[in-house]
Amino acid sequence: MFKKYTLVALLLLGFIAQASANSSVKTAIASAHPLATAAGFEIISQGGNVFDAAVAVSATLAVVEPSGSGLGGGGYWLVHRASDNKTRFIDGREKAPLAAHKDLYVDSAGQVINPRLSLDGAKAAAIPGLPAALVHLAEHYGKLPLARSLAPAIRHARNGFVVGAHHLSLLKNRANVIKQFPASRDIFLVKGQLPEHFAVLRQVDLANTLNQLARHGRAGFYANEVADKLLTAVQRAGGIWTTEDLQNYQVVEREPVVGNYRGIKITSAPPSSAGGIVLLEALTILSAYDLAKLDKLTQIHLITEAMRRAYHDRALYLGDSDFVSIPVQRLLSNDYAAGLRSSIRMDAVLPSKQLSGDVLPDSEGGHTTHFSIIDAEGNRVAATLSINFPFGSGFVASGTGVLLNDEMDDFVSHAGPNGYGLVGSAANMIAPGKRMLSSMTPTFLEDDKRIAVLGTPGGSRIISMVLLATLEFAKATSPMSWVKLPRFHHQYLPDVLEYENTAFTQQEVVALKGLGHSLQATANPYGNMHAAVLYKDTHTLNAASDPRGEGFATVK
Ligand code: DON
């Protein structure tokens, strides 16, 4: 599937240069791949709106960033349409197969059968939502036919694209799993080995599957030929999908969660994501402090204590709201935040084990993707899409080119942390047709001068990254400053304050330890945030891609 096109590679490299663009023209797009950003503009230039562009960017990312998202996965699209001031959250999260149950990955004694079962191969895969969501977006929000918006993705799948360093490094991480499955191996490896730098990846089966979707809409994926191939491959490999699972899959439109932090309106992800609730709860705790007037050490300490408490409630209360009842109003109320704030001491941490409630340990991992689009009229899309770990379950359903997700690991499937070290409760246990709790946090921020669109991949750290970016939005106007900000993270359990090397000085590390924090520098920088902004007074736009990634942001 690979050819070498050095010239193309060099041209692409030039294009990949980190970008932040500023201009007074129509639309800003920031995504994790230059070809995906270009696909969005291609569709706009054909008369599409930002929602058509979102279809094009999502589908192109599925092709050119197969480690992060894809037709075999799901995602969330937070959308705002200026003409009728409508804001909606499109929940295209994967669902547990109907044959799934809470003990799917444990034996009769409650012991994990094989820790890889929820991560690798067909049994780790939940029913994909991304294809249905693309159809939904095109039908309910777009101006162009779905086939038109899918055209750039089909072209890149058929003609191929030059793989970058990010792709190769994630592929290296997951090569052992990909090698186990012939259809995956044939697409992503070359004679069982990693491809060379600047190799071209062509995905002809995926182009054909996208073409079915383009021609037949929903039925092009969830019925007929593609569905037959998906079911045959999954069942042969020990998976539990059935015809009904594919027929029954539905996207849900939900009301986003909305809150306020010191004059900034925050619109973010409701369940099945934990993102918006944890973000707003942490911000409400912090809103009583004038952080700008405090020294940096106290700021870090207070932000960490707010993260600890909000992530604790994630573990205790959150799951799919179609299945469990979540006390959203209480969790987001000022009184509740005041109660949590009263347990925060300026001179010491509150160890996580002293927070009450029964949780079952669970964890997070891999890769995912986010893009942000806004036009000069304020139409906008924040989308975070995932197949969970890099290259999902590593399993391509033969003949489809579709790499399946391993999102089942985002459920609490046993007593113990999940792939991201996250713990949870009964609210996030597996049930047939249920959506697994996510941390994905596509978000809009608005004050009297600006409307921003942002989000990032990064597993359990997604929410703390969006929290830090929101606090930075309160201080600074340039999206580059929100996306490049050094990061730190606390998720209640493990009771550890993680930080990027550049986030704290040595002195701050010592002082934070003195307050009782357990500190751990992350091995690498993390996250890949993409943000776009509309300045209300001038109607100008700006966009930025995280310098940690290979994304591309521009305004045209
Ligand atoms: O939905 C979630 O929370 C996870 N499946 C997201 C995974 C992720 O962001 C991996 N990125 N590094």
Side-chain angles (χ1 to χ4, degrees):
M1 292 284 169
F2 285 89
K3 276 194 260 162
K4 260 175 108 177
Y5 282 122
T6 313
L7 183 62
V8 179
L10 290 174
L11 286 173
L12 186 71
L13 268 184
F15 193 44
I16 277 172
Q18 304 304 335
S20 161
N22 204 343
S23 101
S24 61
V25 278
K26 276 283 295 161
T27 306
I29 304 180
S31 89
H33 200 288
L35 292 173
T37 300
F41 283 113
E42 179 180 330
I43 291 307
I44 299 246
S45 74
Q46 292 178 16
N49 61 19
V50 303
F51 311 109
D52 297 309
V55 172
V57 175
S58 304
T60 302
L61 286 168
V63 173
V64 301
E65 197 196 25
S67 57
S69 67
L71 294 188
Y76 300 128
W77 293 256
L78 180 64
V79 300
H80 177 83
R81 187 165 58 199
S83 60
D84 56 356
N85 211 22
K86 180 176 169 179
T87 309
R88 285 284 189 280
F89 180 77
I90 297 171
D91 184 342
R93 180 75 161 163
E94 302 91 329
K95 295 177 94 168
L98 294 168
H101 52 86
K102 78 176 180 34
D103 294 329
L104 189 61
Y105 301 106
V106 293
D107 62 20
S108 53
Q111 297 301 311
V112 176
I113 298 165
N114 168 356
R116 301 312 304 179
L117 267 188
S118 64
L119 291 167
D120 307 335
K123 207 170 179 183
I127 307 306
L130 193 121
L134 297 185
V135 174
H136 183 93
L137 263 171
E139 279 178 0
H140 293 87
Y141 295 88
K143 269 167 51 182
L144 299 180
L146 177 67
R148 184 84 84 84
S149 302
L150 292 182
I154 296 172
R155 196 173 68 232
H156 293 307
R158 208 174 286 294
N159 298 347
F161 69 99
V162 180
V163 298
H166 176 71
H167 176 100
L168 288 174
S169 113
L170 293 174
L171 188 58
K172 195 170 166 201
N173 285 344
R174 291 290 271 165
N176 279 343
V177 178
I178 286 170
K179 270 183 195 160
Q180 295 168 27
F181 308 113
S184 316
R185 196 175 52 216
D186 290 351
I187 295 169
F188 295 110
L189 301 176
V190 180
K191 297 190 184 122
Q193 304 299 313
L194 288 175
E196 289 175 40
H197 279 272
F198 307 135
V200 169
L201 173 57
R202 296 178 66 233
Q203 301 170 84
V204 177
D205 285 344
L206 183 59
N208 291 337
T209 298
L210 279 162
N211 208 24
Q212 291 294 315
L213 189 67
R215 288 174 59 187
H216 306 294
R218 246 195 94 91
F221 185 89
Y222 295 91
N224 306 335
E225 194 187 316
V226 172
D228 288 346
K229 286 182 185 164
L230 289 169
L231 290 171
T232 306
V234 166
Q235 289 167 4
R236 274 202 193 134
I240 56 171
W241 292 14
T242 61
T243 309
E244 293 70 46
D245 282 315
L246 293 176
Q247 267 169 3
N248 289 356
Y249 184 88
Q250 291 294 341
V251 164
V252 186
E253 276 209 12
R254 305 185 192 277
E255 289 296 325
V257 292
V258 179
N260 201 286
Y261 171 77
R262 297 184 151 252
I264 299 168
K265 181 183 173 192
I266 296 118
T267 306
S268 192
S272 56
S273 178
I277 291 178
V278 174
L279 173 66
L280 290 180
E281 192 178 322
L283 287 168
T284 312
I285 295 171
L286 290 170
S287 61
Y289 306 104
D290 191 352
L291 289 178
K293 296 220 170 89
L294 298 172
D295 61 87
K296 190 175 160 215
L297 184 76
T298 308
Q299 289 182 25
I300 297 164
H301 174 64
L302 291 175
I303 294 167
T304 305
E305 290 302 299
M307 287 177 183
R308 180 200 308 278
R309 284 156 180 77
Y311 271 90
H312 172 242
D313 281 339
R314 180 198 197 281
L316 222 49
Y317 296 111
L318 302 190
D320 181 354
S321 54
D322 291 341
F323 282 71
V324 293
S325 116
I326 301 173
V328 180
Q329 274 194 327
R330 171 157 72 86
L331 294 176
L332 299 186
S333 77
N334 285 323
D335 288 348
Y336 184 70
L340 294 175
R341 204 180 301 119
S342 68
S343 69
I344 297 181
R345 285 173 51 169
M346 289 297 189
D347 62 341
V349 305
L350 178 76
S352 289
K353 62 177 184 298
Q354 289 184 25
L355 292 171
S356 61
D358 286 337
V359 294
L360 300 160
D362 178 66
S363 113
E364 265 174 294
H367 243 271
T368 290
T369 198
H370 176 87
F371 67 84
S372 296
I373 308 184
I374 187 165
D375 71 11
E377 281 151 19
N379 295 297
R380 52 194 182 267
V381 180
T384 314
L385 318 175
S386 185
I387 47 174
N388 200 24
F389 271 34
F391 295 89
S393 65
F395 182 85
V396 168
S398 185
T400 67
V402 176
L403 190 50
L404 302 186
N405 68 84
D406 58 350
E407 221 73 70
M408 290 299 284
D409 193 65
D410 277 353
F411 278 118
V412 172
S413 62
H414 61 281
N418 78 353
Y420 300 90
L422 284 168
V423 295
S425 67
N428 189 30
M429 276 179 175
I430 303 175
K434 187 174 174 182
R435 289 179 158 92
M436 56 299 294
L437 186 63
S438 174
S439 300
M440 295 188 287
T441 315
T443 296
F444 301 149
L445 303 175
E446 181 168 2
D447 64 9
D448 52 350
K449 297 211 158 18
R450 302 162 295 167
I451 300 172
V453 180
L454 74 164
T456 180
S460 56
R461 296 174 184 147
I462 291 173
I463 314 173
S464 63
M465 285 188 259
V466 176
L467 170 65
L468 295 177
T470 304
L471 297 172
E472 188 67 10
F473 172 91
K475 293 193 290 201
T477 56
S478 138
M480 185 47 92
S481 67
W482 321 330
V483 304
K484 74 168 195 213
L485 189 72
R487 294 167 176 149
F488 59 93
H489 171 75
H490 196 295
Q491 62 179 43
Y492 160 58
L493 289 178
D495 192 347
V496 172
L497 171 52
E498 294 180 285
Y499 63 101
E500 287 183 324
N501 258 321
T502 51
F504 305 152
T505 63
Q506 205 40 46
Q507 261 179 335
E508 283 161 354
V509 168
V510 172
L512 286 163
K513 282 185 183 160
L515 291 171
H517 293 283
S518 295
L519 272 88
Q520 198 177 318
T522 59
N524 297 302
Y526 63 88
N528 193 10
M529 184 173 283
H530 302 282
V533 64
L534 168 64
Y535 298 103
K536 290 180 179 175
D537 291 349
T538 52
H539 289 278
T540 50
L541 299 162
N542 196 357
S545 278
D546 200 321
R548 296 163 183 84
E550 297 175 348
F552 187 71
T554 195
V555 178
K556 274 193 200 167

